[in-house]
Amino acid sequence: MARLSVIIPTFNEEAYIQDALFSVAFADEIIVIDSFSTDKTPEIAKKYATKFLQRKFDNFSNQKNFALKEATGDWVLFLDADERVTHSLEAEIKATLQNPKHGGYKINFPHFYMNRFLYHHSDDVLRLVKREGAEYSGSVHEKLICKGSIGKLKNKMLHFTYKGLENYIVKKESYAWFQAQQQSDKGKKVTWFALFFKPSYRFFRSFILKGGFLDGVPGMTVAAVNAYGVFERYVKLMLLQKGMK
């Protein structure tokens, strides 16, 4: 079977990293790329990772691409510290790599929030790819590029992304700066239409079109915070255009 490398980016993930590492113990190589954590993340990671790397964080793509150059497996699985590979997903990954039909595979991520998995607030994300020709682009909500066609695995990845409402909002605000900077660099301008319509549409899309209302109060909360994140992005873009930050 083809060799599998797992890449896990970290920063102050002492509460999550060990379980993430245990869930991919079946891999031939586990690489942790750390942004100089100040908690016990390095200490924990060094016990279980094949390679422990540290690099000053500038953006998500550069961080992952740096680790990708250190990978030796034929295939690479990208995992965040708050994600878990289930036994069923592990079995499917192993079976897939015995006879791969595509150059990359998407995995479905139902988000965990308020003590339940939100199956109507999930994403299909490209995470398992052939190492040759694979690369990330974009500084936030980075995009993984691979050679060949893309398939989808049936089993889901557990994602414990929301560590409370306050943490969720802070995370959205942090991403908003990166996204605003990207748009500013491309010369995009803020319009009043975008400022008010796009956040509203994001809520409508998440809560109605994607069926978030079926997830109850947690689904409504996630839809509202996502809409807030879009609003924050345009506010921050306005500040950047005025030379403020």
Side-chain angles (χ1 to χ4, degrees):
M1 186 177 73
R3 283 175 49 82
L4 174 67
S5 295
V6 174
I7 292 177
I8 308 176
T10 59
F11 178 69
N12 290 347
E13 296 285 0
E14 65 179 10
Y16 290 86
I17 185 60
Q18 183 167 294
D19 287 343
L21 290 165
F22 284 174
S23 78
V24 292
F26 65 92
D28 300 287
E29 177 180 60
I30 303 174
I31 300 174
V32 172
I33 173 67
D34 183 69
S35 305
F36 291 100
S37 292
T38 56
D39 64 1
K40 294 182 180 179
T41 298
E43 177 183 338
I44 297 169
K46 288 176 182 177
K47 290 182 181 179
Y48 305 105
T50 309
K51 296 180 182 179
F52 178 76
L53 311 173
Q54 285 189 304
R55 178 182 183 275
K56 183 178 179 181
F57 182 87
D58 51 1
N59 66 56
F60 296 100
S61 289
N62 289 344
Q63 203 76 350
K64 293 177 182 178
N65 287 334
F66 179 84
L68 187 57
K69 293 178 181 178
E70 297 290 326
T72 61
D74 304 292
W75 287 75
V76 178
L77 173 67
F78 290 91
L79 187 79
D80 287 344
D82 58 2
E83 298 167 353
R84 309 286 180 264
V85 175
T86 64
H87 292 301
S88 56
L89 179 57
E90 173 187 338
E92 186 178 11
I93 289 173
K94 289 178 178 178
T96 298
L97 296 190
Q98 287 181 350
N99 184 30
K101 295 180 172 57
H102 303 278
Y105 291 86
K106 291 184 176 182
I107 302 174
N108 185 258
F109 289 73
H111 302 305
F112 186 84
Y113 186 59
M114 295 176 69
N115 296 319
R116 64 186 290 186
F117 284 101
L118 309 184
Y119 290 103
H120 297 91
H121 185 82
S122 63
D123 303 298
D124 294 328
V125 186
L126 180 62
R127 287 292 191 85
L128 179 65
V129 296
K130 287 183 179 178
R131 178 173 60 85
E132 184 181 358
E135 183 182 27
Y136 270 97
S137 65
S139 59
V140 65
H141 291 312
E142 62 281 11
K143 182 179 180 181
L144 178 57
I145 300 169
C146 72
K147 287 185 177 180
S149 59
I150 297 174
K152 180 184 174 182
L153 300 183
K154 295 179 180 179
N155 289 282
K156 301 179 184 298
M157 178 85 75
L158 302 185
H159 189 192
F160 299 91
T161 183
Y162 307 131
K163 307 174 182 67
L165 181 59
E166 182 179 357
N167 177 271
Y168 187 20
I169 292 175
V170 169
K171 185 176 181 179
K172 284 294 181 181
E173 290 178 341
S174 176
Y175 281 178
W177 276 120
F178 283 107
Q179 293 170 324
Q181 187 64 62
Q182 274 188 320
Q183 292 184 331
S184 179
D185 292 342
K186 294 178 181 178
K188 291 189 177 180
K189 303 294 183 182
V190 179
T191 64
W192 290 107
F193 175 79
L195 185 63
F196 291 102
F197 173 78
K198 290 198 173 183
S200 300
Y201 179 75
R202 177 60 62 89
F203 179 88
F204 177 76
R205 179 174 179 271
S206 179
F207 193 61
I208 303 299
L209 297 184
K210 295 184 72 173
F213 64 92
L214 296 173
D215 291 319
V217 173
M220 182 178 67
T221 303
V222 169
V225 177
N226 283 343
Y228 168 76
V230 175
F231 179 76
E232 275 291 293
R233 181 203 315 166
Y234 286 106
V235 169
K236 288 172 169 51
L237 180 56
M238 290 178 67
L239 293 176
L240 287 174
Q241 290 173 353
K242 294 179 182 296
M244 302 169 60
K245 183 174 181 179

